[in-house]
mmCIF file with all atom_site columns, all heavy atoms in Angstrom:
data_model
loop_
_atom_site.group_PDB
_atom_site.id
_atom_site.type_symbol
_atom_site.label_atom_id
_atom_site.label_alt_id
_atom_site.label_comp_id
_atom_site.label_asym_id
_atom_site.label_entity_id
_atom_site.label_seq_id
_atom_site.pdbx_PDB_ins_code
_atom_site.Cartn_x
_atom_site.Cartn_y
_atom_site.Cartn_z
_atom_site.occupancy
_atom_site.B_iso_or_equiv
_atom_site.pdbx_formal_charge
_atom_site.auth_seq_id
_atom_site.auth_comp_id
_atom_site.auth_asym_id
_atom_site.auth_atom_id
_atom_site.pdbx_PDB_model_num
ATOM 1   N N   . PHE A 1 1  ? 17.068 -8.137  -26.420 1.00 0.00 ? 8  PHE A N   1
ATOM 2   C CA  . PHE A 1 1  ? 17.299 -7.497  -25.127 1.00 0.00 ? 8  PHE A CA  1
ATOM 3   C C   . PHE A 1 1  ? 17.048 -5.986  -25.256 1.00 0.00 ? 8  PHE A C   1
ATOM 4   O O   . PHE A 1 1  ? 17.397 -5.389  -26.275 1.00 0.00 ? 8  PHE A O   1
ATOM 5   C CB  . PHE A 1 1  ? 18.734 -7.728  -24.654 1.00 0.00 ? 8  PHE A CB  1
ATOM 6   C CG  . PHE A 1 1  ? 19.035 -9.140  -24.212 1.00 0.00 ? 8  PHE A CG  1
ATOM 7   C CD1 . PHE A 1 1  ? 18.208 -10.200 -24.540 1.00 0.00 ? 8  PHE A CD1 1
ATOM 8   C CD2 . PHE A 1 1  ? 20.171 -9.396  -23.462 1.00 0.00 ? 8  PHE A CD2 1
ATOM 9   C CE1 . PHE A 1 1  ? 18.492 -11.497 -24.130 1.00 0.00 ? 8  PHE A CE1 1
ATOM 10  C CE2 . PHE A 1 1  ? 20.478 -10.678 -23.040 1.00 0.00 ? 8  PHE A CE2 1
ATOM 11  C CZ  . PHE A 1 1  ? 19.641 -11.718 -23.373 1.00 0.00 ? 8  PHE A CZ  1
ATOM 12  N N   . THR A 1 2  ? 16.497 -5.413  -24.203 1.00 0.00 ? 9  THR A N   1
ATOM 13  C CA  . THR A 1 2  ? 16.251 -3.976  -24.178 1.00 0.00 ? 9  THR A CA  1
ATOM 14  C C   . THR A 1 2  ? 16.676 -3.408  -22.836 1.00 0.00 ? 9  THR A C   1
ATOM 15  O O   . THR A 1 2  ? 16.233 -3.894  -21.792 1.00 0.00 ? 9  THR A O   1
ATOM 16  C CB  . THR A 1 2  ? 14.766 -3.660  -24.412 1.00 0.00 ? 9  THR A CB  1
ATOM 17  O OG1 . THR A 1 2  ? 14.345 -4.230  -25.665 1.00 0.00 ? 9  THR A OG1 1
ATOM 18  C CG2 . THR A 1 2  ? 14.543 -2.159  -24.457 1.00 0.00 ? 9  THR A CG2 1
ATOM 19  N N   . ILE A 1 3  ? 17.514 -2.384  -22.872 1.00 0.00 ? 10 ILE A N   1
ATOM 20  C CA  . ILE A 1 3  ? 17.931 -1.699  -21.639 1.00 0.00 ? 10 ILE A CA  1
ATOM 21  C C   . ILE A 1 3  ? 17.124 -0.425  -21.498 1.00 0.00 ? 10 ILE A C   1
ATOM 22  O O   . ILE A 1 3  ? 16.821 0.256   -22.496 1.00 0.00 ? 10 ILE A O   1
ATOM 23  C CB  . ILE A 1 3  ? 19.452 -1.410  -21.650 1.00 0.00 ? 10 ILE A CB  1
ATOM 24  C CG1 . ILE A 1 3  ? 19.904 -0.903  -20.282 1.00 0.00 ? 10 ILE A CG1 1
ATOM 25  C CG2 . ILE A 1 3  ? 19.817 -0.440  -22.758 1.00 0.00 ? 10 ILE A CG2 1
ATOM 26  C CD1 . ILE A 1 3  ? 21.436 -0.817  -20.149 1.00 0.00 ? 10 ILE A CD1 1
ATOM 27  N N   . SER A 1 4  ? 16.763 -0.106  -20.267 1.00 0.00 ? 11 SER A N   1
ATOM 28  C CA  . SER A 1 4  ? 16.022 1.123   -20.013 1.00 0.00 ? 11 SER A CA  1
ATOM 29  C C   . SER A 1 4  ? 16.374 1.618   -18.617 1.00 0.00 ? 11 SER A C   1
ATOM 30  O O   . SER A 1 4  ? 16.998 0.891   -17.829 1.00 0.00 ? 11 SER A O   1
ATOM 31  C CB  . SER A 1 4  ? 14.511 0.895   -20.132 1.00 0.00 ? 11 SER A CB  1
ATOM 32  O OG  . SER A 1 4  ? 14.074 -0.060  -19.174 1.00 0.00 ? 11 SER A OG  1
ATOM 33  N N   . ARG A 1 5  ? 15.981 2.840   -18.329 1.00 0.00 ? 12 ARG A N   1
ATOM 34  C CA  . ARG A 1 5  ? 16.308 3.404   -17.023 1.00 0.00 ? 12 ARG A CA  1
ATOM 35  C C   . ARG A 1 5  ? 15.130 4.205   -16.504 1.00 0.00 ? 12 ARG A C   1
ATOM 36  O O   . ARG A 1 5  ? 14.358 4.780   -17.281 1.00 0.00 ? 12 ARG A O   1
ATOM 37  C CB  . ARG A 1 5  ? 17.549 4.289   -17.122 1.00 0.00 ? 12 ARG A CB  1
ATOM 38  C CG  . ARG A 1 5  ? 17.404 5.455   -18.075 1.00 0.00 ? 12 ARG A CG  1
ATOM 39  C CD  . ARG A 1 5  ? 18.763 6.082   -18.385 1.00 0.00 ? 12 ARG A CD  1
ATOM 40  N NE  . ARG A 1 5  ? 19.334 6.727   -17.210 1.00 0.00 ? 12 ARG A NE  1
ATOM 41  C CZ  . ARG A 1 5  ? 20.625 7.017   -17.087 1.00 0.00 ? 12 ARG A CZ  1
ATOM 42  N NH1 . ARG A 1 5  ? 21.470 6.707   -18.037 1.00 0.00 ? 12 ARG A NH1 1
ATOM 43  N NH2 . ARG A 1 5  ? 21.063 7.621   -16.006 1.00 0.00 ? 12 ARG A NH2 1
ATOM 44  N N   . ASP A 1 6  ? 15.008 4.240   -15.200 1.00 0.00 ? 13 ASP A N   1
ATOM 45  C CA  . ASP A 1 6  ? 14.002 5.061   -14.521 1.00 0.00 ? 13 ASP A CA  1
ATOM 46  C C   . ASP A 1 6  ? 14.768 5.928   -13.530 1.00 0.00 ? 13 ASP A C   1
ATOM 47  O O   . ASP A 1 6  ? 15.132 5.473   -12.444 1.00 0.00 ? 13 ASP A O   1
ATOM 48  C CB  . ASP A 1 6  ? 12.979 4.173   -13.818 1.00 0.00 ? 13 ASP A CB  1
ATOM 49  C CG  . ASP A 1 6  ? 11.841 4.966   -13.203 1.00 0.00 ? 13 ASP A CG  1
ATOM 50  O OD1 . ASP A 1 6  ? 12.042 6.159   -12.874 1.00 0.00 ? 13 ASP A OD1 1
ATOM 51  O OD2 . ASP A 1 6  ? 10.752 4.396   -13.031 1.00 0.00 ? 13 ASP A OD2 1
ATOM 52  N N   . ASN A 1 7  ? 15.005 7.165   -13.909 1.00 0.00 ? 14 ASN A N   1
ATOM 53  C CA  . ASN A 1 7  ? 15.806 8.044   -13.051 1.00 0.00 ? 14 ASN A CA  1
ATOM 54  C C   . ASN A 1 7  ? 15.132 8.301   -11.709 1.00 0.00 ? 14 ASN A C   1
ATOM 55  O O   . ASN A 1 7  ? 15.810 8.460   -10.694 1.00 0.00 ? 14 ASN A O   1
ATOM 56  C CB  . ASN A 1 7  ? 16.078 9.359   -13.769 1.00 0.00 ? 14 ASN A CB  1
ATOM 57  C CG  . ASN A 1 7  ? 17.054 9.201   -14.921 1.00 0.00 ? 14 ASN A CG  1
ATOM 58  O OD1 . ASN A 1 7  ? 17.731 8.187   -15.051 1.00 0.00 ? 14 ASN A OD1 1
ATOM 59  N ND2 . ASN A 1 7  ? 17.120 10.223  -15.766 1.00 0.00 ? 14 ASN A ND2 1
ATOM 60  N N   . ALA A 1 8  ? 13.823 8.337   -11.704 1.00 0.00 ? 15 ALA A N   1
ATOM 61  C CA  . ALA A 1 8  ? 13.110 8.605   -10.454 1.00 0.00 ? 15 ALA A CA  1
ATOM 62  C C   . ALA A 1 8  ? 13.320 7.485   -9.441  1.00 0.00 ? 15 ALA A C   1
ATOM 63  O O   . ALA A 1 8  ? 13.328 7.721   -8.227  1.00 0.00 ? 15 ALA A O   1
ATOM 64  C CB  . ALA A 1 8  ? 11.625 8.793   -10.735 1.00 0.00 ? 15 ALA A CB  1
ATOM 65  N N   . LYS A 1 9  ? 13.509 6.262   -9.945  1.00 0.00 ? 16 LYS A N   1
ATOM 66  C CA  . LYS A 1 9  ? 13.718 5.116   -9.067  1.00 0.00 ? 16 LYS A CA  1
ATOM 67  C C   . LYS A 1 9  ? 15.194 4.727   -8.963  1.00 0.00 ? 16 LYS A C   1
ATOM 68  O O   . LYS A 1 9  ? 15.526 3.768   -8.273  1.00 0.00 ? 16 LYS A O   1
ATOM 69  C CB  . LYS A 1 9  ? 12.911 3.917   -9.575  1.00 0.00 ? 16 LYS A CB  1
ATOM 70  C CG  . LYS A 1 9  ? 11.406 4.125   -9.520  1.00 0.00 ? 16 LYS A CG  1
ATOM 71  C CD  . LYS A 1 9  ? 10.661 2.868   -9.979  1.00 0.00 ? 16 LYS A CD  1
ATOM 72  C CE  . LYS A 1 9  ? 9.160  3.060   -9.885  1.00 0.00 ? 16 LYS A CE  1
ATOM 73  N NZ  . LYS A 1 9  ? 8.409  1.856   -10.318 1.00 0.00 ? 16 LYS A NZ  1
ATOM 74  N N   . ASN A 1 10 ? 16.035 5.475   -9.655  1.00 0.00 ? 17 ASN A N   1
ATOM 75  C CA  . ASN A 1 10 ? 17.474 5.158   -9.671  1.00 0.00 ? 17 ASN A CA  1
ATOM 76  C C   . ASN A 1 10 ? 17.709 3.693   -10.029 1.00 0.00 ? 17 ASN A C   1
ATOM 77  O O   . ASN A 1 10 ? 18.511 2.988   -9.388  1.00 0.00 ? 17 ASN A O   1
ATOM 78  C CB  . ASN A 1 10 ? 18.119 5.487   -8.324  1.00 0.00 ? 17 ASN A CB  1
ATOM 79  C CG  . ASN A 1 10 ? 18.165 6.977   -8.080  1.00 0.00 ? 17 ASN A CG  1
ATOM 80  O OD1 . ASN A 1 10 ? 18.484 7.760   -8.983  1.00 0.00 ? 17 ASN A OD1 1
ATOM 81  N ND2 . ASN A 1 10 ? 17.825 7.390   -6.874  1.00 0.00 ? 17 ASN A ND2 1
ATOM 82  N N   . THR A 1 11 ? 17.016 3.260   -11.044 1.00 0.00 ? 18 THR A N   1
ATOM 83  C CA  . THR A 1 11 ? 17.045 1.856   -11.426 1.00 0.00 ? 18 THR A CA  1
ATOM 84  C C   . THR A 1 11 ? 17.208 1.715   -12.937 1.00 0.00 ? 18 THR A C   1
ATOM 85  O O   . THR A 1 11 ? 16.597 2.474   -13.696 1.00 0.00 ? 18 THR A O   1
ATOM 86  C CB  . THR A 1 11 ? 15.757 1.139   -10.973 1.00 0.00 ? 18 THR A CB  1
ATOM 87  O OG1 . THR A 1 11 ? 15.650 1.236   -9.552  1.00 0.00 ? 18 THR A OG1 1
ATOM 88  C CG2 . THR A 1 11 ? 15.794 -0.329  -11.359 1.00 0.00 ? 18 THR A CG2 1
ATOM 89  N N   . VAL A 1 12 ? 18.012 0.753   -13.320 1.00 0.00 ? 19 VAL A N   1
ATOM 90  C CA  . VAL A 1 12 ? 18.182 0.384   -14.720 1.00 0.00 ? 19 VAL A CA  1
ATOM 91  C C   . VAL A 1 12 ? 17.654 -1.031  -14.901 1.00 0.00 ? 19 VAL A C   1
ATOM 92  O O   . VAL A 1 12 ? 17.835 -1.880  -14.030 1.00 0.00 ? 19 VAL A O   1
ATOM 93  C CB  . VAL A 1 12 ? 19.659 0.466   -15.145 1.00 0.00 ? 19 VAL A CB  1
ATOM 94  C CG1 . VAL A 1 12 ? 19.863 -0.105  -16.528 1.00 0.00 ? 19 VAL A CG1 1
ATOM 95  C CG2 . VAL A 1 12 ? 20.137 1.902   -15.105 1.00 0.00 ? 19 VAL A CG2 1
ATOM 96  N N   . TYR A 1 13 ? 17.030 -1.251  -16.034 1.00 0.00 ? 20 TYR A N   1
ATOM 97  C CA  . TYR A 1 13 ? 16.412 -2.542  -16.301 1.00 0.00 ? 20 TYR A CA  1
ATOM 98  C C   . TYR A 1 13 ? 17.016 -3.188  -17.548 1.00 0.00 ? 20 TYR A C   1
ATOM 99  O O   . TYR A 1 13 ? 17.507 -2.511  -18.438 1.00 0.00 ? 20 TYR A O   1
ATOM 100 C CB  . TYR A 1 13 ? 14.900 -2.375  -16.525 1.00 0.00 ? 20 TYR A CB  1
ATOM 101 C CG  . TYR A 1 13 ? 14.184 -1.701  -15.387 1.00 0.00 ? 20 TYR A CG  1
ATOM 102 C CD1 . TYR A 1 13 ? 13.911 -0.334  -15.420 1.00 0.00 ? 20 TYR A CD1 1
ATOM 103 C CD2 . TYR A 1 13 ? 13.792 -2.432  -14.260 1.00 0.00 ? 20 TYR A CD2 1
ATOM 104 C CE1 . TYR A 1 13 ? 13.249 0.287   -14.380 1.00 0.00 ? 20 TYR A CE1 1
ATOM 105 C CE2 . TYR A 1 13 ? 13.127 -1.818  -13.211 1.00 0.00 ? 20 TYR A CE2 1
ATOM 106 C CZ  . TYR A 1 13 ? 12.871 -0.456  -13.276 1.00 0.00 ? 20 TYR A CZ  1
ATOM 107 O OH  . TYR A 1 13 ? 12.218 0.159   -12.232 1.00 0.00 ? 20 TYR A OH  1
ATOM 108 N N   . LEU A 1 14 ? 16.919 -4.495  -17.578 1.00 0.00 ? 21 LEU A N   1
ATOM 109 C CA  . LEU A 1 14 ? 17.279 -5.236  -18.782 1.00 0.00 ? 21 LEU A CA  1
ATOM 110 C C   . LEU A 1 14 ? 16.155 -6.223  -19.060 1.00 0.00 ? 21 LEU A C   1
ATOM 111 O O   . LEU A 1 14 ? 15.975 -7.184  -18.309 1.00 0.00 ? 21 LEU A O   1
ATOM 112 C CB  . LEU A 1 14 ? 18.609 -5.984  -18.616 1.00 0.00 ? 21 LEU A CB  1
ATOM 113 C CG  . LEU A 1 14 ? 19.078 -6.723  -19.871 1.00 0.00 ? 21 LEU A CG  1
ATOM 114 C CD1 . LEU A 1 14 ? 19.475 -5.713  -20.955 1.00 0.00 ? 21 LEU A CD1 1
ATOM 115 C CD2 . LEU A 1 14 ? 20.258 -7.638  -19.547 1.00 0.00 ? 21 LEU A CD2 1
ATOM 116 N N   . GLN A 1 15 ? 15.398 -5.947  -20.093 1.00 0.00 ? 22 GLN A N   1
ATOM 117 C CA  . GLN A 1 15 ? 14.344 -6.858  -20.514 1.00 0.00 ? 22 GLN A CA  1
ATOM 118 C C   . GLN A 1 15 ? 14.937 -7.859  -21.497 1.00 0.00 ? 22 GLN A C   1
ATOM 119 O O   . GLN A 1 15 ? 15.514 -7.464  -22.513 1.00 0.00 ? 22 GLN A O   1
ATOM 120 C CB  . GLN A 1 15 ? 13.205 -6.089  -21.181 1.00 0.00 ? 22 GLN A CB  1
ATOM 121 C CG  . GLN A 1 15 ? 12.079 -6.965  -21.705 1.00 0.00 ? 22 GLN A CG  1
ATOM 122 C CD  . GLN A 1 15 ? 11.312 -7.655  -20.593 1.00 0.00 ? 22 GLN A CD  1
ATOM 123 O OE1 . GLN A 1 15 ? 11.018 -7.060  -19.568 1.00 0.00 ? 22 GLN A OE1 1
ATOM 124 N NE2 . GLN A 1 15 ? 10.986 -8.931  -20.791 1.00 0.00 ? 22 GLN A NE2 1
ATOM 125 N N   . MET A 1 16 ? 14.788 -9.134  -21.180 1.00 0.00 ? 23 MET A N   1
ATOM 126 C CA  . MET A 1 16 ? 15.380 -10.194 -22.004 1.00 0.00 ? 23 MET A CA  1
ATOM 127 C C   . MET A 1 16 ? 14.261 -11.101 -22.501 1.00 0.00 ? 23 MET A C   1
ATOM 128 O O   . MET A 1 16 ? 13.518 -11.680 -21.712 1.00 0.00 ? 23 MET A O   1
ATOM 129 C CB  . MET A 1 16 ? 16.387 -10.997 -21.176 1.00 0.00 ? 23 MET A CB  1
ATOM 130 C CG  . MET A 1 16 ? 17.461 -10.145 -20.534 1.00 0.00 ? 23 MET A CG  1
ATOM 131 S SD  . MET A 1 16 ? 18.731 -11.121 -19.681 1.00 0.00 ? 23 MET A SD  1
ATOM 132 C CE  . MET A 1 16 ? 17.769 -11.848 -18.366 1.00 0.00 ? 23 MET A CE  1
ATOM 133 N N   . ASN A 1 17 ? 14.135 -11.182 -23.812 1.00 0.00 ? 24 ASN A N   1
ATOM 134 C CA  . ASN A 1 17 ? 13.089 -11.992 -24.428 1.00 0.00 ? 24 ASN A CA  1
ATOM 135 C C   . ASN A 1 17 ? 13.692 -13.121 -25.251 1.00 0.00 ? 24 ASN A C   1
ATOM 136 O O   . ASN A 1 17 ? 14.858 -13.072 -25.655 1.00 0.00 ? 24 ASN A O   1
ATOM 137 C CB  . ASN A 1 17 ? 12.211 -11.118 -25.319 1.00 0.00 ? 24 ASN A CB  1
ATOM 138 C CG  . ASN A 1 17 ? 11.490 -10.033 -24.553 1.00 0.00 ? 24 ASN A CG  1
ATOM 139 O OD1 . ASN A 1 17 ? 11.119 -10.214 -23.392 1.00 0.00 ? 24 ASN A OD1 1
ATOM 140 N ND2 . ASN A 1 17 ? 11.297 -8.888  -25.184 1.00 0.00 ? 24 ASN A ND2 1
ATOM 141 N N   . ASN A 1 18 ? 12.857 -14.124 -25.499 1.00 0.00 ? 25 ASN A N   1
ATOM 142 C CA  . ASN A 1 18 ? 13.257 -15.264 -26.328 1.00 0.00 ? 25 ASN A CA  1
ATOM 143 C C   . ASN A 1 18 ? 14.616 -15.816 -25.881 1.00 0.00 ? 25 ASN A C   1
ATOM 144 O O   . ASN A 1 18 ? 15.525 -16.001 -26.699 1.00 0.00 ? 25 ASN A O   1
ATOM 145 C CB  . ASN A 1 18 ? 13.297 -14.859 -27.797 1.00 0.00 ? 25 ASN A CB  1
ATOM 146 C CG  . ASN A 1 18 ? 13.380 -16.059 -28.720 1.00 0.00 ? 25 ASN A CG  1
ATOM 147 O OD1 . ASN A 1 18 ? 13.004 -17.165 -28.350 1.00 0.00 ? 25 ASN A OD1 1
ATOM 148 N ND2 . ASN A 1 18 ? 13.888 -15.827 -29.919 1.00 0.00 ? 25 ASN A ND2 1
ATOM 149 N N   . LEU A 1 19 ? 14.719 -16.064 -24.603 1.00 0.00 ? 26 LEU A N   1
ATOM 150 C CA  . LEU A 1 19 ? 15.982 -16.540 -24.045 1.00 0.00 ? 26 LEU A CA  1
ATOM 151 C C   . LEU A 1 19 ? 16.320 -17.943 -24.528 1.00 0.00 ? 26 LEU A C   1
ATOM 152 O O   . LEU A 1 19 ? 15.417 -18.763 -24.774 1.00 0.00 ? 26 LEU A O   1
ATOM 153 C CB  . LEU A 1 19 ? 15.913 -16.505 -22.522 1.00 0.00 ? 26 LEU A CB  1
ATOM 154 C CG  . LEU A 1 19 ? 15.957 -15.099 -21.918 1.00 0.00 ? 26 LEU A CG  1
ATOM 155 C CD1 . LEU A 1 19 ? 15.430 -15.107 -20.486 1.00 0.00 ? 26 LEU A CD1 1
ATOM 156 C CD2 . LEU A 1 19 ? 17.371 -14.554 -21.960 1.00 0.00 ? 26 LEU A CD2 1
ATOM 157 N N   . ASN A 1 20 ? 17.602 -18.198 -24.659 1.00 0.00 ? 27 ASN A N   1
ATOM 158 C CA  . ASN A 1 20 ? 18.077 -19.526 -25.044 1.00 0.00 ? 27 ASN A CA  1
ATOM 159 C C   . ASN A 1 20 ? 19.194 -19.953 -24.096 1.00 0.00 ? 27 ASN A C   1
ATOM 160 O O   . ASN A 1 20 ? 19.731 -19.125 -23.344 1.00 0.00 ? 27 ASN A O   1
ATOM 161 C CB  . ASN A 1 20 ? 18.525 -19.534 -26.503 1.00 0.00 ? 27 ASN A CB  1
ATOM 162 C CG  . ASN A 1 20 ? 19.628 -18.544 -26.772 1.00 0.00 ? 27 ASN A CG  1
ATOM 163 O OD1 . ASN A 1 20 ? 20.730 -18.692 -26.237 1.00 0.00 ? 27 ASN A OD1 1
ATOM 164 N ND2 . ASN A 1 20 ? 19.357 -17.537 -27.589 1.00 0.00 ? 27 ASN A ND2 1
ATOM 165 N N   . PRO A 1 21 ? 19.554 -21.227 -24.100 1.00 0.00 ? 28 PRO A N   1
ATOM 166 C CA  . PRO A 1 21 ? 20.554 -21.699 -23.137 1.00 0.00 ? 28 PRO A CA  1
ATOM 167 C C   . PRO A 1 21 ? 21.887 -20.951 -23.202 1.00 0.00 ? 28 PRO A C   1
ATOM 168 O O   . PRO A 1 21 ? 22.589 -20.874 -22.185 1.00 0.00 ? 28 PRO A O   1
ATOM 169 C CB  . PRO A 1 21 ? 20.720 -23.172 -23.532 1.00 0.00 ? 28 PRO A CB  1
ATOM 170 C CG  . PRO A 1 21 ? 19.391 -23.559 -24.091 1.00 0.00 ? 28 PRO A CG  1
ATOM 171 C CD  . PRO A 1 21 ? 18.920 -22.345 -24.832 1.00 0.00 ? 28 PRO A CD  1
ATOM 172 N N   . GLU A 1 22 ? 22.220 -20.393 -24.364 1.00 0.00 ? 29 GLU A N   1
ATOM 173 C CA  . GLU A 1 22 ? 23.465 -19.638 -24.491 1.00 0.00 ? 29 GLU A CA  1
ATOM 174 C C   . GLU A 1 22 ? 23.436 -18.328 -23.711 1.00 0.00 ? 29 GLU A C   1
ATOM 175 O O   . GLU A 1 22 ? 24.473 -17.674 -23.535 1.00 0.00 ? 29 GLU A O   1
ATOM 176 C CB  . GLU A 1 22 ? 23.779 -19.352 -25.958 1.00 0.00 ? 29 GLU A CB  1
ATOM 177 C CG  . GLU A 1 22 ? 24.191 -20.582 -26.790 1.00 0.00 ? 29 GLU A CG  1
ATOM 178 C CD  . GLU A 1 22 ? 23.043 -21.546 -27.005 1.00 0.00 ? 29 GLU A CD  1
ATOM 179 O OE1 . GLU A 1 22 ? 21.894 -21.087 -27.227 1.00 0.00 ? 29 GLU A OE1 1
ATOM 180 O OE2 . GLU A 1 22 ? 23.294 -22.776 -26.941 1.00 0.00 ? 29 GLU A OE2 1
ATOM 181 N N   . ASP A 1 23 ? 22.278 -17.928 -23.256 1.00 0.00 ? 30 ASP A N   1
ATOM 182 C CA  . ASP A 1 23 ? 22.150 -16.714 -22.444 1.00 0.00 ? 30 ASP A CA  1
ATOM 183 C C   . ASP A 1 23 ? 22.421 -16.993 -20.966 1.00 0.00 ? 30 ASP A C   1
ATOM 184 O O   . ASP A 1 23 ? 22.430 -16.060 -20.147 1.00 0.00 ? 30 ASP A O   1
ATOM 185 C CB  . ASP A 1 23 ? 20.761 -16.113 -22.592 1.00 0.00 ? 30 ASP A CB  1
ATOM 186 C CG  . ASP A 1 23 ? 20.489 -15.642 -24.013 1.00 0.00 ? 30 ASP A CG  1
ATOM 187 O OD1 . ASP A 1 23 ? 21.377 -15.020 -24.608 1.00 0.00 ? 30 ASP A OD1 1
ATOM 188 O OD2 . ASP A 1 23 ? 19.377 -15.906 -24.517 1.00 0.00 ? 30 ASP A OD2 1
ATOM 189 N N   . THR A 1 24 ? 22.624 -18.236 -20.615 1.00 0.00 ? 31 THR A N   1
ATOM 190 C CA  . THR A 1 24 ? 22.921 -18.593 -19.227 1.00 0.00 ? 31 THR A CA  1
ATOM 191 C C   . THR A 1 24 ? 24.239 -17.971 -18.799 1.00 0.00 ? 31 THR A C   1
ATOM 192 O O   . THR A 1 24 ? 25.266 -18.159 -19.445 1.00 0.00 ? 31 THR A O   1
ATOM 193 C CB  . THR A 1 24 ? 22.989 -20.124 -19.066 1.00 0.00 ? 31 THR A CB  1
ATOM 194 O OG1 . THR A 1 24 ? 21.704 -20.684 -19.333 1.00 0.00 ? 31 THR A OG1 1
ATOM 195 C CG2 . THR A 1 24 ? 23.424 -20.502 -17.661 1.00 0.00 ? 31 THR A CG2 1
ATOM 196 N N   . ALA A 1 25 ? 24.188 -17.209 -17.714 1.00 0.00 ? 32 ALA A N   1
ATOM 197 C CA  . ALA A 1 25 ? 25.373 -16.490 -17.238 1.00 0.00 ? 32 ALA A CA  1
ATOM 198 C C   . ALA A 1 25 ? 25.018 -15.760 -15.945 1.00 0.00 ? 32 ALA A C   1
ATOM 199 O O   . ALA A 1 25 ? 23.843 -15.671 -15.570 1.00 0.00 ? 32 ALA A O   1
ATOM 200 C CB  . ALA A 1 25 ? 25.856 -15.490 -18.283 1.00 0.00 ? 32 ALA A CB  1
#
């Protein structure tokens, strides 16, 4: 997982890779 932010867009992102069923939430 990688968190990032774009201040110009007032947005925060969470990139989630190689997801597995335990990530269900």
Side-chain angles (χ1 to χ4, degrees):
F8 288 16
T9 303
I10 189 171
S11 61
R12 60 194 293 161
D13 185 334
N14 289 346
K16 295 183 178 180
N17 291 317
T18 300
V19 172
Y20 304 97
L21 183 69
Q22 178 67 42
M23 305 185 294
N24 298 327
N25 194 23
L26 288 161
N27 59 65
E29 290 69 39
D30 296 316
T31 296

